Amino acid sequence: MAAGRARRLLGSLWIALLLGQPDPAGAAARSGSQSPLAGSLVKTFTPFYFLVEPTDVLSVRGASVIMNCSAYCETSPKIEWKKDGTFLNLVSDDRRQLLPDGSLLINSVVHSKHNKPDEGYYQCVATVESLGTIVSRTAKLTVAGLPRFSSQPEASSVSKGSSAILNCEVNADLAPFVRWEQDRQPVLLDERVFKLPSGALIISNATDTDGGLYRCVIESGGTPKYSDEAELKVLPDPEEPQDLMFVRQPSSLTKLTGQSAVFPCVAVGFPVPYMRWTRNEEELITEGSGRFLLLAGGSLEISEVTEQDAGTYTCIADNGNDTIEAQAELTVQVPPEFLKRPANIYAHESMDIVFECEVTGKPTPTVKWVKNGDMVIPSDYFKIIKEHNLQVLGLVKSDEGFYQCIAENDVGNAQAGAQLIILDLDVAIPTLPPTSLTSATNDHLAPATTGPLPSAPRDVVATLVSTRFIRLTWRTPVSDPQGDNLTYSIFYTKEGINRERVENTSRPGETQVMIQNLMPETVYVFRVVAQNKHGPGESSAPLKVATQPEVQLPGPAPNIRASATSPTSVTVTWETPLSGNGEIQNYKLYYMEKGQDTEQDVDVAGLSYTINGLKKYTEYSFRVVAYNKHGPGVSTQDVVVRTLSDVPSAPPQNLTLEVRNSKSIMLHWQPPPAGTHSGQITGYKIRYRKVSRKSDVTESIGGTQLYQLIEGLERGTEYSFRVAALTVNGTGPATDWVSAETFESDLDETRVPEVPSSLHVRPLVTSIVVSWTPPENQNIVVRGYAIGYGIGSPHAQTIKVDYKQRYYTIENLDPSSHYVITLKAFNNVGEGIPLYESAVTRPHSDTSEVDLFVINAPYTPVPDPSPMMPPVGVQASILSHDTIRITWADNSLPKNQKITDARYYTVRWKTNIPANTKYKTANATTLSYLVTGLKPNTLYEFSVMVTKGRRSSTWSMTAHGTTFELVPTSPPKDVTVVSKEGKPRTIIVNWQPPSEANGKITGYIIYYSTDVNAEIHDWVIEPVVGNRLTHQIQELTLDTPYYFKIQARNSKGMGPMSEAVQFRTPKAESSDKMPNDQASGSAGKGSRPMDIGPDYKPPLGGSNSPHGSPTSPLDSNMLLVIIVSVGVITIVIVVIVAVFCTRRTTSHQKKKRAACKSVNGSHKYKGNSKDVKPPDLWIHHERLELKPIDKSPDPNPIMTDTPIPRNSQDITPVDNSMDSNIHQRRNSYRGHESEDSMSTLAGRRGMRPKMMMPFDSQPPQQSVRNTPSTDTMPASSSQTCTDHQDLESTTGSYLANAQEEDSAQNLPTAHVRPSHPLKSFAVPAVPPAGSTYDPALPSTPLLTQQAPAHPVHSVKTASIGTLGRTRPPMPVVVPSAPDVQETTRMLEDSESNYEPDELTKEMAHLEGLMKDLNAITTA
């Protein structure tokens, strides 16, 4: 027996799994069986569900139909049927009968125009006594209508190979019953000939056999119905092209998932078109696709449609001559599907439960609940929550049964059910997912044990009663006064209702609870039950409590509207609130200006109100609150409206006049103050008149710009101007009349101003007062004066002042310093000729009274008796690469810095470059201004002045700001490529920095290629680190054209590339190339190289000559003795000349300078770009400043330090291009080159000018500051009166005659010569620690000489002494590149100033050198 029950149970489980039906209690026994659980008997869930449910059926009249239905339960269920919601009585029905499995059989379906008893919705109902009832999904029975044609075939023709369509439109429910006949014979359908779902026939790729008579037949039971016959003619191929056209276009479809969809698409034309499809504008691949099939003729079939197939389908026909398209939409609908089915629930009476049900579908399904086959009607205790879930409150025993969730949409319905079992209170609830219980009851209860139960709680009272909640409190039962382990259940119900609900306390020992979600003004009955570990005890006496009535406050007033009725008034209307009708006492209208935070209100009795006194053309927000006897109701939403515009209520501000010339005056102004515009300013009206004729007024209306140039005025005439602002409503008030007089005659501004007529300076301790008078020729426009000043040079600082100004005080100077001052007048064309003065500021110890003075020169303006204070605290805040914000404070304003009068501020700015003298200005009416359009990475200076009426302040202290960097916006310029002398495979690329570097250049990239049209990523890249302006590229191919481009880089990125520069490498290697590109062993002599035997050992520090010679060592020693002797004689002459020079008078020096100036002024050199030289008060060439040669009587003369390097770290070695220069210079002494070629090559380097310095064998004997330097004369001194010959064009020996040397030794010259092994004795050849040569730079150390097999250090010392023509000058190039250390110190101390006694010591030192020399030669 038990085995049989087990087999039946397993069978039911297998069927449930097979059919996909839920089996919530797969291990449960039959209904009514009990299972031991926690010491009590628990009723278990019973499997009860449908095995088969009815589906939709399409039938025809007179046919038989079966609606399938089968339900499973251990106890056989009773099956009944509903049609359209009403039970069918099948006992007495002879056409409809119930089959044994529960299905419904309908014999001979009845269907006529007025009698359709069988068509409708059917539902199967299964019932098990004492268990419950379940219902199936509903199924629709559709009966096809009477056969009729809505369209019939028509005679047509088709070309061979083309497509044809024959229409036969019938009702949609009859379409499955349509078939076709050709010549009264059935048409065989295949891939070429097929029928559309609508009934139409498509014939593609027509052949002669397709011609004939066609008709369609409807066979829906009974007699077939035939359509008219139509002839289809097949024509031969047309010879002429025929237009492409659709004979059938696709139409939009709506399909269910899983169904098939067919889009018909037939096009004809010649040539025959090719058909293809797209979905949502993406190509649809039909070949090899399982679901997308391209039918004959071009129609598209989609099988087993899914939701993703929805979209726009386009049929495209293309025959090579033309393309046509047709579109159709596919809409996919989805029947309801369950995402979450209801679950079986155990519960106790008075508990709250929730059945969960989640569904999906398209369209979105609606959900209804059925309990035991009857619809659940929502009430206070049965509620639909979260759209689909069913909540049952306060369970009672009768709530047991089967609950079903039925989901339904337009295309189908589905059902899912669950069972509710209510257990006795002494039976614990088996563990189930807590989601089925509400939070109020999911903490039930532990298995009960035997023992004493608690008595009733005492003194249950309602301590707080509101409209929708009540708070209850009580005392512990008498049986358990402590009550720490007791929990409490509070049962409550509406009076007169027997359905109780329960609420549990949240923790043991708690003796109060809040009951929420009650109804207002309703009587509830409460009782409290205590429970301990043994179970629930006695109940307290019932307590009746009535909730408070809810106050009915008014709702929001509907249809609130606000409309502006004038520039200062707005009318607001509204309607009576829907809730609280008839009780409204009054309304309160709130309004607020937009952007403000203070709201105003007014009491209103009616349904509209007009508010006056508002601001013109201003936005306001309005809202309304209704009041009744209980107070204010709900506010309406804000409505916003702007008052109407009006004419401006204030005139424009800060009208200023600028006389441009004799016939025009420029007007500038600011808009009226904010808040007085009263609308959108549309323009400005300017009125002007002659002061002499006040009645004759001219009007000019301009746009919204804040300036206007009035032209066509009379010369030398005073005019008055006034400006008024315009809106669409009219003209506002005008400014006061402001007058200005045109010039009598126009000044000339086609040239720069002439030199100022005088310049006076008065030095003080830390300032110099400068005064001047204007140029004598006052017919040229002067727009201002530029004052330049600096220690030793006037180019350090530049200040620009107004053209009216005649004096200026230069502040913040150093005491006891020699300043040079220049003054230039300027206009828009440029700066005029400068006027120079110099002055020495007083020392700190000078306590003499400072007596300021002012030159009352002509045109000095009379100062205003009460000038305004200038703005203070000017600050520049950098915002971007082209924007700086200027802020300032005005001490003439109150502490809150609020501007209440008509003052305005003028901001001026310019780049902080001495050459730049042009200011830009702008007016502002606030204490800040945003300056835009600036250059990147540029230092600007800013100052501010304030103007109020006719009073103005002076300019404020300047503020400085440097804009942020930006990527370079221009390429490197002046790119040149030259071949390296003696190395035809090596080239040197020179260039200049970009004109718009926009930041510090951190490197360059050189691109080169043999194909100028190659992609840039195919070019070879040579990076250059730092800001060097030259680079060597080696190992190039001979006789090949190369193209070069350069790109600059800064911290922000790469700039644009330069234009390609072409260079062709030489054809062949140089035949007379010398090893290592060095000259012969004489190290740069102009004479022939010495012939040295193979046994010769080099003397100290020397290097082997690379060429052997049979000359004996004795001859070499003799030659060295001769050279050293000549050097000693030269040094002695230098000393004598130096002593003589130091004793020269100042007058002789002045004459000498005058003579030198006249000679040098007429001497032209290659590369000299400065034809006009400043007076010899100072020398300023590339920051090399040298004083005149005079011995100042002042014990502490003011001398200017020269920036000549003090040590080896300051000298940058020349690169390999320098070697080629040296080599060319050496060869030039043999007559191979001229100075012109060298100067040109040197000029290509584009670096700082070369400075000639001698390397000699003794320390400096004169101060560097006494040695002039030039930046454009590489071989001569600017103070050597003798006009030197071109040094490098001479081919004579080193041993020149003494007279020629003497003429060149009168004044010191700065030359650099190559060192020789025997020329240096004074300084040992010890390289300084840490002095290394950077191998990353493609250069060779200065003047280093190398032999192929004997590398030795060449000792070099330098002195600024006198030397004639005996040594070729060697250029020292100081490029703007990172410092590179070198092992040789170039200069010792440039501050030494030798007196006669020191010269005596030097003579003794020279005698010691002579002795050393004799010892070497004798050895």
Side-chain angles (χ1 to χ4, degrees), residues 970-1003:
S970 68
K973 56 186 181 180
D974 300 340
V975 181
T976 59
V977 184
V978 295
S979 178
K980 183 172 180 182
E981 179 71 19
K983 285 190 175 182
R985 292 180 182 271
T986 301
I987 59 97
I988 302 163
V989 185
N990 303 310
W991 65 89
Q992 290 294 302
S995 55
E996 294 171 1
N998 298 340
K1000 180 181 178 182
I1001 296 298
T1002 58

Side-chain angles (χ1 to χ4, degrees), residues 15-26:
I15 293 171
L17 291 172
L18 191 64
L19 296 176
Q21 294 294 331
D23 184 11

